[in-house]
Amino acid sequence: MATRLVALGDSVTAGLGDPLPGGGWRGYAAILADALGPHGQVEFSNVATSGATSRDLAADQLPRALSLRPTLATVLAGVNDTLRGTFELTAIASDIEEVVGGLRRTGATVLTIRLPDPGLMLGIPDLVRRPLTRRVRAINTILDHVARRYDTVHVDPACHPALYERRMWGVDRLHPSERGHRLLARLIATELVARGVPLDAMPDAEPSGANPSAWASARWMAVEGTGWVVRRSRDFLPELARLVLSEAWHDVRGRAALLDQRFHTDLDHALRHLGARPVVTGPRRTPSPSPHVATEDACP
């Protein structure tokens, strides 16, 4: 039986940062599909869309994914939720659970992927980093909970030191370069092999194409990257400014711990909401192991 791989997510899953020679984007999910087997044995569909939030995955991408009857699905969600003016943890948790649970109920093997630390990735000042890091940690905690609840193949690139190397990221520092996409594909492939999913071979670590020139990078940032920043500025930057001022105010008064307490209260409420819901999963379709494939070292 053919493996039907469906990828759900945002611009990272859509492949931004990993351009194809003839135009368009490839990305980690397509690299993973090639590693699983030749075309004909592996049917690959990418339903990810740039800018997608967890709500978009639940409302738009999940129905499309289910219609494709996946045997294997990747879910990378939450990055754009952290970059919105509003951040409703309970709603985000519900949407992520709806996506993962909906896929698992069909019997598909589901890959869930944790998010990287934005402070390490962007090298931003501590006052700016802290509210962003809280949001990412909240998403990751929800992903951890859902992964345990639905028995997903859970991948944690966030703790892999190589992920934060400059060469792993594109000029905008928000989308992986080809090398970064390949690292992510290799980390996912490692977890799949550990769970008994066979591969033809591990994805190559080295890029197949030339690195974009400084001119090409500057042109991309001017034409596409700046537009992304402007769109986010209308919604997120005013809220980020408010969060940073709140951090500074609490720091000056020695009350920074209160912000962490509020964060944990909101997160506990979201997790209790998930815990009150019944879980029904289908049988996992796990092929026999492929012992000849070498794997990436485990994340420290």
Side-chain angles (χ1 to χ4, degrees), residues 139-185:
I139 297 285
N140 282 340
T141 301
I142 289 166
L143 287 167
D144 293 344
H145 179 90
V146 170
R148 288 191 299 270
R149 192 168 171 79
Y150 289 93
D151 188 28
T152 72
V153 180
H154 200 37
V155 184
D156 188 8
C159 72
H160 200 288
L163 183 73
Y164 301 102
E165 294 178 9
R166 180 64 187 88
R167 61 181 183 161
M168 296 296 177
W169 296 92
V171 65
D172 62 359
R173 301 298 293 269
L174 293 166
H175 298 97
S177 62
E178 180 188 349
R179 187 183 295 275
H181 277 284
R182 288 188 173 278
L183 173 62
L184 185 51

Side-chain angles (χ1 to χ4, degrees), residues 263-277:
F263 158 74
H264 287 298
T265 297
D266 290 344
L267 182 56
D268 287 344
H269 181 268
L271 293 178
R272 282 197 303 272
H273 175 75
L274 292 184
R277 305 177 76 178

Side-chain angles (χ1 to χ4, degrees), residues 46-249:
N46 194 333
V47 300
T49 55
S50 183
T53 62
S54 58
R55 178 86 294 256
D56 296 319
L57 266 72
D60 303 326
Q61 295 182 27
L62 178 61
R64 292 177 59 197
L66 293 177
S67 72
L68 295 166
R69 298 180 299 112
T71 58
L72 179 63
T74 65
V75 176
L76 177 51
V79 173
N80 287 300
D81 293 283
T82 68
L83 300 174
R84 290 292 189 272
T86 57
F87 188 67
E88 305 267 348
L89 262 183
T90 299
I92 293 168
S94 180
D95 287 332
I96 290 174
E97 183 181 43
E98 181 179 348
V99 171
V100 174
L103 292 165
R104 282 290 290 122
R105 279 187 283 271
T106 69
T109 298
V110 178
L111 285 143
T112 46
I113 305 167
R114 299 180 96 242
L115 308 182
D117 185 319
L120 293 176
M121 192 169 66
L122 298 172
I124 51 183
D126 190 53
L127 281 177
V128 181
R129 177 191 62 80
R130 270 186 259 158
L132 288 174
T133 297
R134 281 194 198 95
R135 289 186 170 194
V136 168
R137 286 178 178 169
I139 297 285
N140 282 340
T141 301
I142 289 166
L143 287 167
D144 293 344
H145 179 90
V146 170
R148 288 191 299 270
R149 192 168 171 79
Y150 289 93
D151 188 28
T152 72
V153 180
H154 200 37
V155 184
D156 188 8
C159 72
H160 200 288
L163 183 73
Y164 301 102
E165 294 178 9
R166 180 64 187 88
R167 61 181 183 161
M168 296 296 177
W169 296 92
V171 65
D172 62 359
R173 301 298 293 269
L174 293 166
H175 298 97
S177 62
E178 180 188 349
R179 187 183 295 275
H181 277 284
R182 288 188 173 278
L183 173 62
L184 185 51
R186 286 174 65 83
L187 294 174
I188 294 171
T190 297
E191 293 298 327
L192 283 175
V193 171
R195 294 292 289 262
V197 177
L199 303 179
D200 268 6
M202 285 293 288
D204 290 335
E206 294 299 316
S208 58
N211 291 329
S213 66
W215 165 248
S217 296
R219 181 180 180 280
W220 184 91
M221 193 62 188
V223 173
E224 299 191 49
T226 301
W228 186 94
V229 171
V230 170
R231 289 190 296 273
R232 290 286 73 76
S233 298
R234 295 177 188 143
D235 178 25
F236 177 58
L237 289 187
E239 174 64 8
L240 179 61
R242 186 192 70 78
L243 293 172
V244 170
L245 287 173
S246 178
E247 290 285 342
W249 187 90

